[in-house]
Amino acid sequence: MHWLRVPLIAWHQIRNWIENPALIEIEDSVLVEIDVSNRSYAVQVEEEDWEQITRDSILIIDPQLIPTHKDYAIVYKEGQDLPTLKQVLIDESKIHLKPLNTYFPPTIYDLTYQFFGVVVQIKKNTKAYSNSSKETRHVIVERASKT
């Protein structure tokens, strides 16, 4: 197995990343164990009201993939400040974009929308670590290695 480093960017940087990644200063990255294109990126979920994907999960996005039925995709609508995550639903010749917040209805894809990539992996921590728990874990690992 091989590991690849994917840049972790902010939601407001996605559009710039798609247009010209060289303009983005990368501060953090995420290791992934799957094959992704060299234009792939990661974003951290900031929303608390998304169905199925929890806050602080990391989405690995490949912008070179074309979304298919039931994929999750990063979608930008002309005139909006930020792109968002939608589920792509294809019914005959229409593409529906389903928000992850169930309070909002699906919309129909038209030329005012752009796809900025498909979610290929979701990374989620099952336990949050504070600095004190990291220190405790380090001590436990250190003690275990001495025995």
Side-chain angles (χ1 to χ4, degrees):
M1 178 186 321
H2 63 283
W3 293 85
L4 300 171
R5 204 171 279 284
V6 174
L8 178 63
I9 62 174
W11 286 86
H12 71 273
Q13 295 176 305
I14 295 174
R15 189 169 177 200
N16 290 337
W17 178 262
I18 297 299
E19 294 171 1
N20 190 354
L23 297 177
I24 305 280
E25 184 176 328
I26 304 302
E27 295 178 18
D28 292 314
S29 61
V30 177
L31 288 173
V32 297
E33 65 279 359
I34 59 173
D35 286 327
V36 292
S37 73
N38 62 351
R39 296 289 303 271
S40 293
Y41 60 95
V43 290
Q44 186 169 9
V45 174
E46 299 170 351
E47 302 292 329
E48 292 184 5
D49 53 1
W50 281 358
E51 190 176 283
Q52 303 165 346
I53 301 175
T54 58
R55 181 179 174 89
D56 294 329
S57 296
I58 303 290
L59 308 178
I60 309 302
I61 314 295
D62 193 332
Q64 302 208 340
L65 296 177
I66 296 170
T68 59
H69 183 61
K70 294 191 177 182
D71 279 348
Y72 290 96
I74 301 296
V75 180
Y76 175 73
K77 181 172 173 51
E78 188 177 296
Q80 289 185 336
D81 292 334
L82 297 173
T84 188
L85 182 66
K86 307 273 190 201
Q87 186 177 27
V88 177
L89 303 171
I90 301 172
D91 181 31
E92 295 180 17
S93 62
K94 291 184 181 174
I95 299 172
H96 300 268
L97 302 173
K98 179 183 172 191
L100 274 68
N101 183 329
T102 57
Y103 295 112
F104 297 103
T107 56
I108 295 180
Y109 177 87
D110 62 31
L111 295 178
T112 62
Y113 291 94
Q114 282 181 278
F115 288 115
F116 284 172
V118 174
V119 175
V120 294
Q121 189 175 60
I122 300 171
K123 292 182 167 281
K124 176 182 165 183
N125 290 334
T126 56
K127 180 174 174 106
Y129 283 101
S130 65
N131 283 339
S132 61
S133 65
K134 285 180 186 175
E135 290 168 12
T136 302
R137 183 177 178 275
H138 175 71
V139 170
I140 292 170
V141 170
E142 187 175 290
R143 285 184 188 153
S145 65
K146 290 181 180 178
T147 58

